[in-house]
Amino acid sequence: PPPPPPPLLLLLLVVLGPATPCPPQPNATRFVCTEPTLSTFPRGLPPTTLAISVEFTALATLLPTALAGLPHLQELHLSSNRLDALPDALLRPVPALRVLDLTGNTLAHLPAGIFAGAHHLQHLVLRGNRLRALLPAWFRHLPRLQWLDLAANALTEVPPAVFLPLRSLHSLDLSHNHLASLAPGALAGLGALERLDLAGNLLGTLPAAAFAPAPALRFLFLQDNELRALPPGTFAPLRHLRALDLARNRLRALELPPGSALDLDISGNPWACGCQLLARLRHAAPRLSAARDTLCASPARLRGQEVAVASQAGHTGC
């Protein structure tokens, strides 16, 4: 057996206890801790702290007073921990907060008033949690929010007008949820939105005016859904659109937005290569992505031919 520790070392272990992971430094402006053994939120952070990163730890709970005494805090990064709930009053002591990242926890719910005092929040990342529903109360006090990431949760719907207060939002990520439909008015209020990601859901169709509330959209991602048909004029309001991804759906026909050529990915769909589709794609073909996987399913004489080739060559009968 190993020899017993010297009496002095044993006494120090008893008096001091185990070392605290990531001890705070006085007068520091940034606190970073990625110690896997950390299980309680650090105490004694100096009031000069501007940014906190506690990530990849065993942190599972936060006290309502965890951020007390940090009036200047602007960034809070809590990704890849074990948080399954947040206290309602967590953010009240940090009204200057601009960035909150909660990626990769196990949050299934958030208190209705969690963001009530976070009027300056600009970036909110909730990716990779277990959220099942969106509460309108979360967004009522976030007029400055520019980036909202809700990807990889368990959302089944987007309630109408849930994002209405987010008049400054530029980017919204709803990818890899369980959305089977998009309610009319789901994007109401998002007049400044430039990037929308709905990839990896279960969308079978879209409302005719789905994108009318977001005419500033420049990047739209709809790949890896179940889209079979789109209502006429779906993309008509999007005169600033520059990139459209419709890959790996079940679309046979397509109506493109007016304006200049797009960065367009329509691969992995069973396209009916009629005259109308080929004429529309002829304009976009120079920027048509994944051409080798973008094939005609009909008519019979064009089956298996690359859509980009068919659109450039044209065919008899058009």
Side-chain angles (χ1 to χ4, degrees):
L8 180 59
L9 179 57
L10 184 61
L11 179 62
L12 288 173
L13 288 173
V14 171
V15 173
L16 299 177
T20 302
C22 309
Q25 302 298 317
N27 300 318
T29 59
R30 185 172 185 87
F31 176 82
V32 178
C33 186
T34 57
E35 172 55 55
T37 64
L38 182 76
S39 58
T40 58
F41 194 79
R43 298 180 181 179
L45 295 174
T48 54
T49 304
L50 299 177
I52 296 173
S53 297
V54 176
E55 302 175 291
F56 303 97
T57 76
L59 185 66
T61 58
L62 287 170
L63 296 175
T65 56
L67 303 176
L70 301 170
H72 305 296
L73 190 69
Q74 296 182 10
E75 296 187 25
L76 180 58
H77 301 269
L78 295 171
S79 69
S80 303
N81 293 302
R82 302 178 185 177
L83 297 169
D84 60 8
L86 297 179
D88 182 85
L90 177 67
L91 303 180
R92 290 178 191 171
V94 289
L97 194 69
R98 296 181 182 178
V99 177
L100 177 59
D101 185 356
L102 290 158
T103 299
N105 284 279
T106 57
L107 298 166
H109 306 281
L110 294 176
I114 184 69
F115 304 117
H119 302 287
H120 293 279
L121 200 63
Q122 296 178 4
H123 289 236
L124 175 57
V125 184
L126 293 162
R127 167 185 290 265
N129 280 278
R130 300 177 182 176
L131 298 174
R132 297 179 181 177
L134 299 174
L135 298 186
W138 294 345
F139 308 116
R140 286 175 186 159
H141 307 282
L142 301 178
R144 294 179 175 87
L145 195 67
Q146 298 177 15
W147 184 288
L148 177 58
D149 190 341
L150 292 160
N153 278 279
L155 301 174
T156 58
E157 64 174 346
V158 179
V162 67
F163 301 125
L164 190 61
L166 304 183
R167 57 179 179 268
S168 300
L169 197 68
H170 292 163
S171 177
L172 174 59
D173 195 337
L174 289 161
S175 64
H176 303 288
N177 278 281
H178 305 312
L179 303 175
S181 62
L182 200 62
L187 304 179
L190 300 181
L193 194 67
E194 296 182 354
R195 184 184 187 278
L196 175 61
D197 195 338
L198 289 163
N201 280 285
L202 303 170
L203 296 171
T205 187
L206 294 169
F211 304 118
L217 270 179
R218 294 170 58 85
F219 306 95
L220 178 56
F221 303 94
L222 290 162
Q223 68 268 30
D224 297 303
N225 277 282
E226 302 289 332
L227 295 170
R228 293 177 177 272
L230 297 172
T234 298
F235 302 121
L238 305 182
R239 296 182 177 275
H240 301 285
L241 198 64
R242 293 295 174 265
L244 175 61
D245 196 333
L246 292 164
R248 296 175 298 281
N249 279 279
R250 303 185 182 184
L251 294 167
R252 295 175 55 81
L254 179 62
E255 187 177 316
L256 292 172
S260 58
L262 294 168
D263 288 322
L264 182 65
D265 192 340
I266 59 171
S267 58
N269 286 275
W271 296 111
C273 293
C275 299
Q276 194 173 41
L277 176 68
L278 296 180
R280 287 170 177 167
L281 291 178
R282 195 169 297 125
H283 180 61
R287 298 166 70 175
L288 193 63
S289 302
R292 292 183 179 179
D293 297 317
T294 309
L295 307 177
C296 298
S298 62
R301 66 178 178 274
L302 294 177
R303 186 178 298 134
Q305 184 170 327
E306 291 180 16
V307 172
V309 174
S311 66
Q312 290 302 310
H315 62 85
T316 57
C318 289

